[in-house]
Amino acid sequence: FNVSEYSIYISENNKDFQQVYSKEFAPVEESQPVGPVYLDAEFDKVDTRYVKVVAKYLRSQPAWAGGAGKPASIFIDEIQVN
């Protein structure tokens, strides 16, 4: 299942982070295909040392899913920073 929200933060000291991007998604519907999802974010160019990506996901699978009510998972394969 897709994430419900993701945000990107930057920092120079790995302690004080500033949010530079955030996006929310509508709840997943039964008609949506299940499979890899590619997300991207565009924001003003910044110089930074640290980048933190926070993704929020469903805590349990929807009622119509094969694993209804069971914990949902999120798998992240790559994060590319340009």
Side-chain angles (χ1 to χ4, degrees):
F1 299 105
N2 194 5
V3 298
S4 58
E5 176 183 355
Y6 75 104
S7 303
I8 300 172
Y9 300 84
I10 60 171
S11 173
E12 288 299 320
N13 61 11
N14 204 22
K15 293 179 185 176
D16 303 310
F17 283 87
Q18 173 187 356
Q19 184 177 353
V20 292
Y21 184 85
S22 182
K23 184 170 184 176
E24 292 185 31
F25 297 90
V28 65
E29 296 181 11
E30 186 172 4
S31 62
Q32 290 177 298
V34 176
V37 176
Y38 300 92
L39 305 174
D40 58 356
E42 292 186 22
F43 49 90
D44 292 337
K45 183 179 178 177
V46 294
D47 291 322
T48 191
R49 184 169 181 181
Y50 300 96
V51 176
K52 178 177 17 178
V53 178
V54 177
K56 296 181 181 178
Y57 62 97
L58 299 172
R59 294 296 176 201
S60 61
Q61 296 183 37
W64 50 262
K70 294 182 180 178
S73 299
I74 182 173
F75 300 94
I76 298 173
D77 183 42
E78 292 182 19
I79 295 177
Q80 180 178 355
V81 178
N82 293 326

